[in-house]
Amino acid sequence: AEMAARDEWMIFDATNRPRSRWTYCATCRQSFTRALAIEMDRRRWRHFREAPVSKFRCAHLRGVASVLTNGGEVEVAERVEQEASRGLPPDDLGEISRAMSLRRTDPAAALEILTPLRARIDRCEDDAVRVYYTRALGFTLAQLNRSQEACPIIANCVELTMAVDGPESESALTLMSTHATLLYTAGRHDEAEAMLARVLALQTRVLGADHPSTRESRKILMKMLSLLDKAARST
C-alpha cells in the first residue's frame, strides 16, 4: 500500500495543477510513512510559502505545520504556523494560528489571544476548526502548567479528532497519548496509566511496534510505571 501510494504521489507531483496535487496528498497522507509525509509536506511548504496570500495558502501551510509537529520537527512547525497567517486580515483561524506560533515562547500571550475566541468557536459547526482551536487552547494551558484545566479540553479535542480523522488515526492516537500525560500530571495516575496502555495497544496494532509514535508512548508508559513504583515503595 505504501509503494502504491508513493507511486501515485509521484504522478500527482508531476502535474501542473498544484491545487489538485496538494489536495490529493492531503487526502491520502495516512497511507504514508512519517518520513515520506514530512518529505511531501516540506515540498508543499516550499510551494505555498511563495504563493500569493490567501486563505487557501493559509490552510495548506497549517496542514504542513500539523504534519511537522507530529513528526517531531516542532521548531520548523512553529515557523510554518507564523507564515500561515502572514498578510491575512485578522480572523478566528488566523488568530488561532498566531497563538499556536506563540504557545512555546510566550504561552501567556497565546492564552490572551485564544480566550476571547472560545464562545464563537464553541458555536462553530466546522469540526476541523474546533479541533484546531481546542488543540491550541489545551496545549497552551499545558504549557502554563494548568493541567487540570487542559485535561477536559484535550479530551474534547480527542473526540473531535476521532470524528474528523477517524478513531484510529495517528493524530487521534497522538492526542490520546498527550491526554494521558496530562492526566498523570494532574495526579489522576490510574486513569493516565489505563489510557496510555490502551493507546500503546492501538498504536502497536495500527502503526506497528517500531513506529516512532508507538516507541514514544512505550517510553512514556515505562517512565510513568517507574515513577508510580517508586512512589509506592516510598510510602
Side-chain angles (χ1 to χ4, degrees), residues 88-143:
L88 284 178
D91 64 2
D92 288 350
L93 282 176
E95 289 297 274
I96 297 169
S97 181
R98 189 159 68 91
M100 283 292 281
S101 70
L102 288 171
R103 69 180 176 85
R104 289 180 181 275
T105 56
D106 194 349
L111 188 60
E112 285 183 13
I113 295 168
L114 293 169
T115 302
L117 303 177
R118 189 165 188 175
R120 285 203 301 278
I121 299 297
D122 284 345
R123 295 193 299 270
C124 179
E125 296 181 358
D126 188 333
D127 282 344
V129 173
R130 292 168 64 201
V131 165
Y132 191 45
Y133 176 79
T134 53
R135 179 170 168 264
L137 181 59
F139 283 11
T140 300
L141 289 169
Q143 198 74 27

Side-chain angles (χ1 to χ4, degrees), residues 177 196 199-200 203 213-221:
S177 179
L196 198 52
V199 171
L200 182 57
Q203 286 175 326
S213 294
T214 309
R215 291 202 303 268
E216 181 65 20
S217 293
R218 190 182 300 117
K219 182 171 70 174
I220 294 171
L221 181 59

Side-chain angles (χ1 to χ4, degrees), residues 21-213:
R21 176 173 72 214
W22 300 119
T23 301
Y24 169 80
C25 288
T27 61
C28 69
R29 186 176 292 113
Q30 290 298 326
S31 301
F32 297 112
T33 63
R34 174 172 297 201
L36 182 54
I38 291 175
E39 176 191 342
M40 178 182 73
D41 276 84
R42 278 185 172 277
R43 295 183 67 172
R44 181 162 62 138
W45 178 24
R46 287 196 294 271
H47 175 85
F48 278 100
R49 70 181 174 185
E50 302 302 330
V53 171
S54 68
K55 288 194 174 183
F56 179 67
R57 170 187 178 275
C58 182
H60 273 283
L61 288 178
R62 286 177 183 140
V64 172
S66 177
V67 170
L68 291 171
T69 299
N70 287 338
E73 300 196 25
V74 177
E75 292 183 5
V76 181
E78 288 175 353
R79 292 207 308 271
V80 178
E81 288 277 5
Q82 290 171 344
E83 285 187 24
S85 55
R86 174 177 54 82
L88 284 178
D91 64 2
D92 288 350
L93 282 176
E95 289 297 274
I96 297 169
S97 181
R98 189 159 68 91
M100 283 292 281
S101 70
L102 288 171
R103 69 180 176 85
R104 289 180 181 275
T105 56
D106 194 349
L111 188 60
E112 285 183 13
I113 295 168
L114 293 169
T115 302
L117 303 177
R118 189 165 188 175
R120 285 203 301 278
I121 299 297
D122 284 345
R123 295 193 299 270
C124 179
E125 296 181 358
D126 188 333
D127 282 344
V129 173
R130 292 168 64 201
V131 165
Y132 191 45
Y133 176 79
T134 53
R135 179 170 168 264
L137 181 59
F139 283 11
T140 300
L141 289 169
Q143 198 74 27
L144 290 165
N145 295 318
R146 293 165 61 174
S147 301
Q148 293 283 7
E149 296 171 73
C151 278
I153 293 170
I154 292 297
N156 184 35
C157 191
V158 170
E159 292 180 9
L160 290 169
T161 303
M162 286 180 172
V164 173
D165 295 340
E168 294 184 351
S169 62
E170 184 178 353
S171 54
L173 295 175
T174 300
L175 277 170
M176 287 174 67
S177 179
T178 301
H179 187 205
T181 303
L182 287 172
L183 286 170
Y184 182 86
T185 306
R188 296 160 63 178
H189 298 156
D190 290 343
E191 293 175 71
E193 182 184 342
M195 179 172 289
L196 198 52
R198 179 185 166 211
V199 171
L200 182 57
L202 285 169
Q203 286 175 326
T204 301
R205 178 170 61 81
V206 176
L207 304 175
D210 292 327
H211 190 280
S213 294

